[in-house]
Amino acid sequence: MFLLTLTWILLDVLLLTCGGLLINAQSSGFRDREALRFATDVGLPLVSDTVHDAVRRHVRVRASAMAVGGTVGLVVSAAVLLASPSLGSASFVWLITAPAILSAMATVEVAVSLRESLFRHRDGVPRVARSSAPTLADYVSLWRLRLAPVCELVAVILCAVGVALGILGSIDLAAFLGGAALPFLLVSLVVAAASMVAQRRILRESQPVSDTLELAWDDAFRGETLRGLRMVQSLIAWLAVAAAGLGILQALDALVGTNWGTGAGPQLFTWGWLFIFAAFTFGRARTQFRARLWPDVAGITEGRSGMDSERG
C-alpha cells in the first residue's frame, strides 16, 4: 500500500511539473531564457530580429508540445496503474511511466516538427537551396544511431537464450514467458519501425528559409527532434534488453530459489537508462549537425557558404 501511494504521489508531482511547463512556456521571460540557452547549446548566433523571433516562437511551441506529450504519457501510465494497482512500485516508474512519457513527448514533438516550420515562406524573398540532401548521420552521430539497433539485437538474442534455457530446463520456462521480456521486445520493435518512418518524414520536410543562417537554425531544431526521437528509441530498446535479462534471472530464481531478480535485476534498468540519457545529452549530442553541415559559424553569420540560392 505504501509503494502504491508513493507511486501516485510521484505521478501527481510529474503532472504538476508538466502543467507548470505549459504555463511557463507562454511567458516572454521563459522564451527569452530558453532561446538564449538553446543558442548557447548549439553554438549558433541570434543576430537578427527575424531569427530571434522565430526561435522564441519555436521554443514556446516545442515546450508546449513537450508538456502536452508528458501529460498524455502520465494519463496512460495512471490508467495502467488504476487497472493494476499491484504494479505500484519503483519499477513501475522505470517500466511504464518513463517510457510512456518519453514516447508521448517524442510523438507530439515529431507531429509539431512536421506541422510547424521554424521560418515561414515570405513572398519575393529568395530561398536557399541545398546542393545535396542531408542524412540522418548529419544530425545524430553514427555511434548514437547504432545504440538502438544494437540493443534490439541483444534483446532478441537474450530472449532466444531465455527460451532455450527454459526448454533445456536450466530456468523456469513458464516464469520467463510470463515475464516482461517478450512484450518489451515487441514494443521496442514497434517503436523502431515507427521511429524509422518518422525520421524519413522529417528528413523529407522542406525548409522555407531565406539565408544560410536561417537554414542552420532550422537544422538545429531538426537535429533536436531527431536526437530526441533516437534517444527514446534507444531507451525503449534498452528496456527490452533489461527486461530480457531480468526475465532470465527471475526464471532462474523460480527454479532454484535464489534472489538474483530482486537483487541485480533493477540495476539493469537504472544504469542503462542513465548511460543512454547521458549519451544523448552530453558531448556533441546537440552539435552534430553543426560539425557536419555548418563547421564555419563565422561564415554562416556573414552569409558565406557553398549553398546556392533560388527564387521561391
Side-chain angles (χ1 to χ4, degrees), residues 151-290:
C151 287
E152 287 152 10
L153 177 60
V154 172
V156 170
I157 293 172
L158 285 177
C159 285
V161 168
V163 172
L165 289 175
I167 293 173
L168 294 173
S170 300
I171 62 174
D172 188 323
L173 180 59
F176 179 78
L177 294 178
L182 295 180
F184 270 104
L185 176 60
L186 178 60
V187 169
S188 72
L189 295 177
V190 170
V191 169
S195 179
M196 186 179 300
V197 172
Q199 288 163 186
R200 288 176 178 173
R201 283 289 308 277
I202 291 169
L203 290 173
R204 287 202 305 265
E205 281 293 295
S206 62
Q207 295 174 286
V209 298
S210 59
D211 58 45
T212 52
L213 179 59
E214 289 185 2
L215 184 57
W217 269 106
D218 199 82
D219 282 337
F221 279 106
R222 176 186 277 190
E224 274 296 280
T225 301
L226 291 170
R227 181 188 67 86
L229 187 61
R230 205 67 189 197
M231 180 176 72
V232 171
Q233 183 184 345
S234 299
L235 289 171
I236 301 297
W238 175 254
L239 277 183
V241 172
L246 180 60
I248 292 174
L249 293 176
Q250 289 177 334
L252 177 64
D253 294 343
L255 186 67
V256 300
T258 55
N259 61 352
W260 284 102
T262 56
Q267 302 300 319
L268 293 171
F269 295 99
T270 304
W271 292 110
W273 268 67
L274 291 176
F275 170 76
I276 292 174
F277 185 80
F280 281 90
T281 304
F282 303 108
R284 277 177 31 176
R286 284 190 162 94
T287 56
Q288 172 72 6
F289 81 96
R290 210 186 71 212

Side-chain angles (χ1 to χ4, degrees), residues 1-55:
M1 186 64 183
F2 171 75
L3 289 177
L4 179 60
T5 302
L6 195 61
T7 304
W8 277 115
I9 291 174
L10 180 58
L11 293 183
D12 290 338
V13 170
L14 291 173
L15 183 60
L16 288 173
T17 302
C18 289
L21 176 60
L22 184 59
I23 294 171
N24 208 22
Q26 315 313 314
S27 71
S28 178
F30 173 87
R31 295 196 294 271
D32 286 335
R33 289 193 304 271
E34 288 303 301
L36 182 59
R37 182 195 62 78
F38 187 68
T40 302
D41 288 343
V42 300
L44 291 178
L46 294 166
V47 296
S48 72
D49 291 340
T50 301
V51 170
H52 196 192
D53 291 343
V55 172

Side-chain angles (χ1 to χ4, degrees), residues 106-183:
T107 301
V108 175
E109 185 176 1
V110 168
V112 168
S113 176
L114 293 174
R115 179 179 177 274
E116 293 279 339
S117 297
L118 176 59
F119 298 97
R120 298 184 174 93
H121 174 62
R122 299 184 293 278
D123 293 334
V125 177
R127 292 182 62 182
V128 172
R130 293 185 185 276
S131 57
S132 61
T135 65
L136 188 58
D138 290 322
Y139 298 100
V140 184
S141 62
L142 285 176
W143 74 269
R144 291 183 177 91
L145 290 176
R146 289 170 180 156
L147 276 177
V150 168
C151 287
E152 287 152 10
L153 177 60
V154 172
V156 170
I157 293 172
L158 285 177
C159 285
V161 168
V163 172
L165 289 175
I167 293 173
L168 294 173
S170 300
I171 62 174
D172 188 323
L173 180 59
F176 179 78
L177 294 178
L182 295 180

